[in-house]
Amino acid sequence: MSIQNLNTFDPFADAIKSSEDDVQDGLVHVRIQQRNGRKTLTTVQGLSSEYDLKKIVRACKKEFACNGTVVEHPEYGEVLQLQGDQRENICQWLTKSGLVKPEQLKVHGF
Amino acid sequence: MDDDMIFDPSLKKKKKKKTGFDMDAALASEQGESTSVEAPVESGDVDVPEDENLDLDNFGKKKKKKKKTFFNLEELESALPETTEEKPPAEEPEPQEEDLVDDLDLEIDFSKTKKKRRKKNLDELVAEEENNENQENAEDLHGDWVSTDRDYTYDELLERVFDIMREKNPGMVSGKKQKFIMRPPQVVRIGTKKTSFANFTEICKTLHRQPKHLLDFLLAELGTSGSVDGNSQLIIKGRFQQKQIENVLRRYIKEYVTCHTCRSPDTILQKDTRLFFLQCETCGSRCSVASIKSGFQAVTGKRAAIRAKIA
């Protein structure tokens, strides 16, 4: 049995972990951006880096019949991009697959 | 502002009507509510078709009050079958529907439907009379079981408690939500790619918020760029409809204008050590609000242009 008091404690462990995760307050932001004409782009920011985003995007592409990609961003980590207004779809899908809790989702845009 | 002068006469009329309502409302004991937010709305007059909606607001309030008494009456009647009261039956189903509607909308009145407006004048008079009647009746009914030694029902007691509460602090109790009235945003397309938000500064004034703050929020939410031009209108890049802007405004109001505790719109937004705090003037609560972040922005323009800019 080890002595509790002698264990080393890294005070910055939390900070490092959260900076790696890049999930500020655990929210997943779903945004929409307008492109040319009536085309739009949906971005999903803040998904935990524990998940394999490539696999997620592959599943989404198939499910919503749209193209999509994973973009690496220095500040926000990996961000999902999907073509078209997939906000409803992605919210439903994420909650249904259990990746994100409904209260963690934050949908932006009009 | 110049345009406004032209359209003044028609508006004058409306305003008069409006004050009429206010008097009624005051009679029904709730002066505190309808003052602060409405004042700015009335002061600026720009004419739009949607403006018609504006005089509905007080109407909405009135409706609610009437509804209240109605429900109680109904309850009472079911409790005391011996009461003999005549009530216009046609009015009955209506308030309930409205209850649903009112609960749904975020107590922010951008636009009420036209149909309500049509009903207004008639209903208003009826409502006023009924209000009085009902109140009297309600008192009578209380007397009924107070004097006798028969068992009172839950509904009666509930009614009694609410009556006392309403009497003691008018306007606050009764679950009646305070309406936050503002005029709808005027959104016009400029060409094919840009959208103008004409009464942007006016709305900022109504909300008592810095235009910059609202601007930041709008642009971050819509994920575009834009600026305020010389005529104090906001030009946003991209196509947006009035409804969409309304939605975003609703969200802004919910987060940055109405108090999170008491939901009163009488608040001050102040910056304190890099954080925004919302200070409520009504209940005195103070809480921090989320900072505005635009977050990740995908590349939507021409990449060549971006590269040229950097180089």
Side-chain angles (χ1 to χ4, degrees):
Chain A
M1 201 172 109
S2 64
I3 301 163
Q4 284 279 306
N5 288 344
L6 293 183
N7 281 350
T8 51
F9 170 68
D10 182 6
F12 298 108
D14 285 350
I16 290 166
K17 191 171 181 295
S18 64
S19 71
E20 269 173 5
D21 272 351
D22 262 321
V23 185
Q24 298 126 338
D25 48 25
L27 282 179
V28 173
H29 298 271
V30 178
R31 294 198 175 78
I32 190 164
Q33 267 179 281
Q34 288 193 336
R35 289 177 55 223
N36 36 2
R38 45 178 301 181
K39 292 179 183 171
T40 49
L41 195 67
T42 311
T43 61
V44 183
Q45 172 205 322
L47 283 172
S48 169
S49 53
E50 284 162 28
Y51 301 129
D52 188 349
L53 289 222
K54 286 215 181 92
K55 278 192 177 162
I56 292 177
V57 94
R58 214 172 295 150
C60 288
K61 279 159 73 167
K62 201 158 212 181
E63 180 82 18
F64 315 146
C66 68
N67 207 350
T69 182
V70 181
V71 178
E72 189 68 40
H73 191 273
E75 191 184 341
Y76 302 116
E78 286 186 310
V79 179
L80 226 101
Q81 273 188 21
L82 295 167
Q83 287 183 1
D85 186 357
Q86 312 289 352
R87 288 176 297 168
E88 292 264 302
N89 291 336
I90 193 78
C91 288
Q92 275 174 8
W93 191 85
L94 285 174
T95 45
K96 206 178 76 197
S97 59
L99 292 176
V100 176
K101 289 191 207 78
E103 63 268 18
Q104 279 179 300
L105 276 172
K106 190 151 174 38
V107 183
H108 299 264
F110 34 82
Chain B
M1 277 297 149
D2 297 346
D3 302 347
D4 307 343
M5 298 310 289
I6 304 167
F7 293 103
D8 235 312
S10 64
L11 274 161
K12 272 275 163 54
K13 225 186 272 168
K14 269 174 201 163
K15 266 190 227 163
K16 234 173 252 166
K17 242 189 254 167
K18 191 152 196 175
T19 45
F21 281 151
D22 268 338
M23 292 299 282
D24 294 342
L27 278 182
S29 78
E30 44 116 34
Q31 290 120 323
E33 285 209 340
S34 58
T35 49
S36 64
V37 191
E38 262 169 49
V41 176
E42 279 175 323
S43 63
D45 5 311
V46 184
D47 87 305
V48 229
E50 290 94 355
D51 264 6
E52 296 167 8
N53 303 331
L54 279 178
D55 15 25
L56 294 184
D57 305 329
N58 269 329
F59 176 53
K61 230 175 246 166
K62 173 128 303 170
K63 255 285 159 61
K64 281 219 155 158
K65 214 170 297 152
K66 181 178 80 175
K67 194 193 317 159
K68 204 64 203 185
T69 42
F70 252 123
F71 281 147
N72 295 335
L73 249 190
E74 273 163 11
E75 278 170 7
L76 275 177
E77 278 183 350
S78 61
L80 313 172
E82 69 265 19
T83 50
T84 53
E85 269 165 32
E86 79 285 7
K87 195 171 33 163
E91 297 270 336
E92 264 181 278
E94 192 182 67
Q96 278 167 345
E97 280 172 51
E98 231 168 88
D99 202 5
L100 281 179
V101 174
D102 280 344
D103 280 344
L104 280 179
D105 78 3
L106 244 166
E107 41 184 324
I108 301 154
D109 258 349
F110 280 113
S111 48
K112 288 275 168 154
T113 43
K114 295 254 160 78
K115 124 186 114 176
K116 273 194 205 164
R117 175 187 163 79
R118 240 173 279 139
K119 278 191 271 168
K120 179 180 58 184
N121 284 329
L122 238 179
D123 260 299
E124 174 214 353
L125 289 174
V126 178
E128 188 57 28
E129 282 172 25
E130 272 171 350
N131 232 345
N132 297 337
E133 263 180 40
N134 287 350
Q135 262 157 17
E136 284 164 24
N137 288 335
E139 276 158 29
D140 288 350
L141 289 178
H142 286 309
D144 262 10
W145 60 265
V146 167
S147 54
T148 62
D149 56 349
R150 133 190 116 72
D151 243 354
Y152 36 77
T153 64
Y154 173 76
D155 288 333
E156 285 165 349
L157 279 185
L158 196 68
E159 169 73 3
R160 189 176 140 86
V161 145
F162 266 89
D163 266 8
I164 293 167
M165 268 156 73
R166 237 170 277 149
E167 207 176 289
K168 288 274 157 65
N169 32 7
M172 199 205 83
V173 218
S174 71
K176 161 179 52 188
K177 276 191 223 149
Q178 186 171 342
K179 283 267 174 184
F180 187 72
I181 295 121
M182 57 183 294
R183 77 187 41 235
Q186 291 160 40
V187 177
V188 191
R189 269 262 287 288
I190 307 179
T192 47
K193 287 191 171 170
K194 284 192 237 164
T195 310
S196 146
F197 182 172
N199 54 356
F200 171 69
T201 34
E202 195 192 323
I203 281 184
C204 287
K205 266 181 205 142
T206 326
L207 299 176
H208 303 289
R209 289 291 170 268
Q210 294 287 328
K212 189 175 172 300
H213 191 254
L214 181 54
L215 176 76
D216 283 347
F217 181 83
L218 280 176
L219 296 184
E221 269 308 276
L222 298 171
T224 54
S225 53
S227 58
V228 181
D229 80 346
N231 307 338
S232 76
Q233 63 177 2
L234 176 63
I235 311 287
I236 319 169
K237 209 177 139 207
R239 299 177 180 194
F240 298 99
Q241 277 148 13
Q242 189 194 332
K243 209 155 194 191
Q244 300 173 320
I245 302 286
E246 263 178 37
N247 270 334
V248 180
L249 269 180
R250 266 203 189 101
R251 242 179 288 157
Y252 178 83
I253 289 164
K254 199 176 166 206
E255 176 70 30
Y256 297 102
V257 180
T258 51
C259 170
H260 293 207
T261 313
C262 68
R263 298 207 270 180
S264 126
D266 190 14
T267 54
I268 297 172
L269 191 71
Q270 46 194 199
K271 201 169 188 175
D272 204 352
T273 58
R274 287 190 284 176
L275 287 173
F276 276 109
F277 284 92
L278 198 65
Q279 172 105 41
C280 180
E281 295 286 275
T282 315
C283 71
S285 85
R286 182 179 153 87
C287 61
S288 66
V289 288
S291 59
I292 298 170
K293 278 195 221 109
S294 60
F296 173 78
Q297 291 294 314
V299 181
T300 49
K302 285 251 185 332
R303 283 171 203 267
I306 300 166
R307 242 172 273 148
K309 212 182 264 175
I310 295 167

